[in-house]
Amino acid sequence: MELDSIECVSSSDGMIDDDEIPLHHPHIIHSQYSSSKTSNNNNINNSSSNNDGIAAIHSTTSVHELLECPVCTNSMYPPIHQCHNGHTICSTCKARAHNRCPTCRQELGDIRCLALEKVAESLELPCKYGSVGCPEIFPYYSKLKHESVCNFRPYSCPYAGSECSVVGDIPCLVSHLRDDHKVDMHSGCTFNHRYVKSNPREVENATWMLTVFNCFGQCFCLHFEAFQLGTAPVYMAFLRFMGDEMEARNYSYSLEVGGNGRKLTWEGTPRSIRDSHRKVRDSHDGLVIQRNMALFFSGGERKELKLRVTGRIWKEQQNLDGGACMPNLCT
């Protein structure tokens, strides 16, 4: 499927040319020894302004701005580097900037800005996903770790046919799957999926299909694909929930495939799209059909694969009396 219309949210790993480095807010950290030549009288006269400056620096907003890399605008974490003129830069941008200060073009060297690193240790900052609902506040050095697993962080595109780097919330991804990947959208909690392949021995270009189902006010991704397992192809169907893992546990699903008076049935809990498509597939967490069995289900002379996978989704309801989960079947 063509992906020309997709806008990918990604970052460049290449080197940055000196003349192409965008500067946002260049920061200058002056050495504490630069004022050693000033007189005591000047120090006394300027004590009031110094106190004002200290108060400003202790403002979380002001300090947060100081810790913002002037190139990428991300928060700087140790090691924080600076040039001889005091301009700061994060370690990632330093490695991409040909060891030249993007502000003054002087050589960066290996000067650490220890003062700014000390200031960072005393900060507590809100999660960057606070605007979408996260109420948490963390010490500066714990913030990144939390944000990597924050429940409010954006989701990655669940499309498995190509490397798609689009991220967003669930409504955004549903629109993206429909409009950009042309994925089939269905409403209801039961499905009947037919898969036909003229040459079942070819899986070099892993054949896959994705369908999105909307039921119980939630969206689910049904995956069906062929891939090589050892020396023989296998076929696999599994369901992923478009939401977090904890919420996915509220639902169950079943898959069934059969023919010639035989059938295979799978029942389980859908995996969250937080888990990558490959991770779910490689764990075999779904209905796995060996090629010989798939051809047996297909009937005929076994020269063409014809599989029909049926299934349903239901919501588990907590029984308040006994604590057990009762299925809430979709009509």
Side-chain angles (χ1 to χ4, degrees), residues 296-307:
F296 178 79
F297 288 151
S298 300
E301 297 180 358
R302 300 190 178 188
K303 294 181 178 180
E304 184 178 41
L305 188 71
K306 294 180 180 179
L307 290 178

Side-chain angles (χ1 to χ4, degrees), residues 16 24 26 30 89-90 113 153 193 234 236 259 268 270 282:
I16 300 177
H24 298 274
H30 294 289
I89 187 173
C90 73
C113 186
R153 71 191 188 278
H193 184 98
V234 296
M236 182 175 178
D282 291 348

Side-chain angles (χ1 to χ4, degrees), residues 227 229 234 236 266 279-288:
F227 62 97
L229 182 63
V234 296
M236 182 175 178
W266 163 269
K279 180 179 180 180
V280 179
R281 190 196 73 179
D282 291 348
S283 66
H284 300 173
D285 192 1
L287 177 64
V288 179

Side-chain angles (χ1 to χ4, degrees), residues 247-265:
E247 198 171 359
R249 294 174 184 173
N250 295 326
Y251 301 91
S252 296
Y253 75 103
S254 65
L255 297 172
E256 184 178 295
V257 62
N260 287 333
R262 309 288 190 274
K263 68 178 180 180
L264 287 177
T265 302

